[in-house]
Amino acid sequence: ALQQSESNYRNVFEGVQDAIFVESMDGKILDINTRTCEMYERTREELLMMTVEDLVPKSQPVVLPREMVERGLYDQILSTMNVRSSGEVFPVEISVKLQKWGDQDVMLVVVRDVTEARLAQKRALLQDRLAAVGQLAAGIAHDFNNILGTIMLYSELLLNDPSISSQGKERIDTIFNQAKRGSTLTTQVLDFSRRSIMEKHPFDLVPFFTDLEKLLSRTLPESVKINMDFNGESGYFINADPARMQQAIMNLALNARDAMPKGGELRFALDQTEVQAEHPPYPGMQAGSWVSIRVSDTGSGIDPDVMLHMYEPFFTTKPQGKGTGLGLSQVYGIVKQHNGFIDAESTPGEGTTFIIYLPAIDEQTEPDSTKGDLQIQSGRGETILVVEDDTATRSAICEILESQGYTVFFAEDGAVALSELEARGGAVELIISDLVMPNMGGRDLYDEVSARYPHIKMVLITGYPLGGHTRELLDHQRVTWLQKPLTSETLAQTVQFMLKTENLTV
């Protein structure tokens, strides 16, 4: 019976996934389980020759079992730091209970390594903070896109005005380029807040990175050596927006360049892995096939305190005027909009590695690039209805279209647009409508137009993302979209594409 009792005790003792110590009142270690050896990276013999003080870093106070009893700290959970044999300091939660061990008092100590739990908690707090900032940033960016779009369109009209002097055109060109810079900033903010619209299609990352290497070699200084490490020549297929993915990788590359002012190595590696639900490489990843993109540099590294804030917009450690603080936040947003995850590893003075995880796919469909090959031509009087609630934006779009040879009339919302269509007997070839408007927005207008005037095509313009209610429009016939702010070139190209294509599904 005694042997059976001892066996039962040892089975329970060894089966617990936390480290268990039996300690004397002066801190000597009397017994341990196997998990203790694994956690502290020491043998049983080593640990039984040690005391509590040997497992606590010098920066932390040591409380011996006798002192715990005197202070009434037993029978509760304590948080502190311990140290492994390698010198790594890690956070632990300790449960202590006063016990009898034979004829002596001992302290039963259960130690739980909470490194992963603390990391998950920090990540969750970061996600919440980023989501709140992103929601605010998206609203501001949308309003700015309306303002910048109007400035850009009117600037282009003036640049084509023969009555303006060359000096005047130089000034207007400066206005246009500064507005365009502003639109780049709003694009970064929308990317971060997951409010930009993606043009996703299946493509292989190997030729993508092969082309990107040529661009990087022209962008980065010669002192930065680029190393592409692919396991195979093809087969890393994802469903993504190539332009947004290029922007994300370029941002990481430029950050790496800044971290290596005297030169170094920038390495890109692709891999594909089958993620198991029990042990995902990043919390929240679903089981299945994933592609990983590793971007590593040999630069100055990132301080641990900085890593907690590095995805926040406008947070930067660079000197004033050397960066906007939007680069990594844009990368974060782009990855999230592709249902991916991003992680980072860094050692100050040694370098940084960013790891992007994206869902892998089997499709190898090439995108239809017909629209991008169009040569812009003037209109031939085709009738276009512009529906936009912002007066300045509406006027600018109408003037641009009229200058391109189209017959244009307008409405300030969807309800007024339907009245105009009824008055004209539906004699309209194309509707250009804002997506978000009072009274009736672009989505509801599309539904009404499809039911009453199925021959009319539509272009939706928006500074907001296409949510579940509107994204399904992209699978319908006779409709496409444009992202604000508009330029005369993208507007002309899209209008021409829609007018010349029959029964299209965009």
Side-chain angles (χ1 to χ4, degrees), residues 149-263:
T150 302
I151 294 171
M152 291 166 67
L153 289 175
Y154 274 121
S155 295
E156 288 184 295
L157 279 172
L158 290 171
L159 287 170
N160 293 322
D161 188 340
S163 66
I164 295 179
S165 66
S166 58
Q167 186 180 35
K169 288 189 176 182
E170 286 179 9
R171 293 168 177 167
I172 295 167
D173 190 53
T174 299
I175 294 171
F176 175 80
N177 287 323
Q178 291 301 306
K180 201 168 183 179
R181 282 187 63 192
S183 74
T184 300
L185 290 177
T186 57
T187 298
Q188 289 179 306
V189 171
L190 288 171
D191 280 341
F192 157 70
S193 56
R194 304 180 226 178
R195 298 298 198 273
S196 54
I197 301 172
M198 300 286 169
E199 292 187 89
K200 296 181 183 179
H201 61 75
F203 68 92
D204 188 353
L205 281 170
V206 171
F208 169 83
F209 272 98
T210 301
D211 292 339
L212 187 61
E213 183 178 12
K214 299 172 186 175
L215 176 61
L216 289 170
S217 63
R218 296 192 298 269
T219 305
L220 302 178
E222 293 183 2
S223 59
V224 175
K225 180 184 177 183
I226 302 172
N227 185 355
M228 296 283 179
D229 182 10
F230 306 144
N231 183 19
E233 298 180 357
S234 64
Y236 300 97
F237 286 90
I238 60 172
N239 187 42
D241 183 328
R244 310 315 306 144
M245 289 305 303
Q246 178 177 302
Q247 183 68 62
I249 302 301
M250 283 294 294
N251 285 5
L252 293 177
L254 294 177
N255 263 25
R257 175 202 64 188
D258 294 341
M260 301 184 290
K262 296 181 180 179

Side-chain angles (χ1 to χ4, degrees), residues 2 34 93 100 102 112 157 201 219 248 290 310 324-325 328 354 415 425 436 494 502:
L2 183 62
T34 302
E93 286 184 351
K100 278 288 186 182
R112 173 163 296 177
L157 279 172
H201 61 75
T219 305
W290 291 76
M310 63 185 179
T324 62
L328 286 179
F354 284 93
V436 180
T494 302
E502 294 296 328

Side-chain angles (χ1 to χ4, degrees), residues 387-413:
V387 190
E388 168 65 68
D389 61 308
D390 185 84
T391 304
T393 302
R394 183 175 67 239
S395 298
I397 293 173
C398 289
E399 285 195 49
I400 287 288
L401 291 173
E402 287 171 349
S403 71
Q404 293 171 351
Y406 298 104
T407 301
V408 183
F409 63 105
F410 63 84
E412 57 265 27
D413 60 49

Side-chain angles (χ1 to χ4, degrees), residues 98-398:
L98 190 62
Q99 298 274 14
K100 278 288 186 182
W101 209 50
D103 59 352
Q104 64 174 318
D105 290 330
V106 297
M107 191 68 77
L108 182 66
V109 181
V110 180
V111 180
R112 173 163 296 177
D113 184 345
V114 293
T115 303
E116 289 299 323
R118 294 279 176 87
L119 184 59
Q121 185 180 38
K122 287 180 180 178
R123 283 171 171 165
L125 290 172
L126 175 63
Q127 300 285 345
D128 291 343
R129 186 163 65 244
L130 292 177
V133 174
Q135 189 173 2
L136 173 64
I140 296 172
H142 176 258
D143 291 338
F144 265 85
N145 271 338
N146 271 340
I147 297 167
L148 293 169
T150 302
I151 294 171
M152 291 166 67
L153 289 175
Y154 274 121
S155 295
E156 288 184 295
L157 279 172
L158 290 171
L159 287 170
N160 293 322
D161 188 340
S163 66
I164 295 179
S165 66
S166 58
Q167 186 180 35
K169 288 189 176 182
E170 286 179 9
R171 293 168 177 167
I172 295 167
D173 190 53
T174 299
I175 294 171
F176 175 80
N177 287 323
Q178 291 301 306
K180 201 168 183 179
R181 282 187 63 192
S183 74
T184 300
L185 290 177
T186 57
T187 298
Q188 289 179 306
V189 171
L190 288 171
D191 280 341
F192 157 70
S193 56
R194 304 180 226 178
R195 298 298 198 273
S196 54
I197 301 172
M198 300 286 169
E199 292 187 89
K200 296 181 183 179
H201 61 75
F203 68 92
D204 188 353
L205 281 170
V206 171
F208 169 83
F209 272 98
T210 301
D211 292 339
L212 187 61
E213 183 178 12
K214 299 172 186 175
L215 176 61
L216 289 170
S217 63
R218 296 192 298 269
T219 305
L220 302 178
E222 293 183 2
S223 59
V224 175
K225 180 184 177 183
I226 302 172
N227 185 355
M228 296 283 179
D229 182 10
F230 306 144
N231 183 19
E233 298 180 357
S234 64
Y236 300 97
F237 286 90
I238 60 172
N239 187 42
D241 183 328
R244 310 315 306 144
M245 289 305 303
Q246 178 177 302
Q247 183 68 62
I249 302 301
M250 283 294 294
N251 285 5
L252 293 177
L254 294 177
N255 263 25
R257 175 202 64 188
D258 294 341
M260 301 184 290
K262 296 181 180 179
E265 183 180 2
L266 177 59
R267 182 172 176 266
F268 299 90
L270 295 177
D271 201 3
Q272 188 160 334
T273 183
E274 289 297 324
V275 171
Q276 305 300 320
E278 300 81 15
H279 303 289
Y282 193 93
M285 289 178 66
Q286 300 296 314
S289 185
W290 291 76
V291 171
S292 66
I293 304 170
R294 299 178 71 93
V295 183
S296 306
D297 66 61
T298 56
S300 56
I302 304 173
D303 187 89
D305 292 334
V306 172
M307 291 187 73
L308 293 175
H309 303 280
M310 63 185 179
Y311 298 125
E312 294 178 11
F314 308 112
F315 176 85
T316 180
T317 57
K318 297 176 183 177
Q320 188 171 4
K322 295 295 184 181
T324 62
L326 285 169
L328 286 179
S329 62
Q330 184 180 26
V331 174
Y332 173 87
I334 290 172
V335 171
K336 286 298 180 183
Q337 276 201 266
H338 285 87
N339 301 315
F341 298 84
I342 182 169
D343 202 2
E345 304 165 353
S346 186
T347 303
E350 295 183 14
T352 302
T353 296
F354 284 93
I355 310 148
I356 296 172
Y357 300 100
L358 298 168
I361 61 168
D362 296 325
E363 293 184 57
Q364 303 181 22
T365 309
E366 290 299 320
D368 182 8
S369 57
T370 307
K371 182 177 175 181
D373 296 336
L374 283 178
Q375 297 297 315
I376 297 176
Q377 300 174 357
S378 297
R380 296 191 296 271
E382 295 95 331
T383 304
I384 299 175
L385 169 60
V386 176
V387 190
E388 168 65 68
D389 61 308
D390 185 84
T391 304
T393 302
R394 183 175 67 239
S395 298
I397 293 173
C398 289

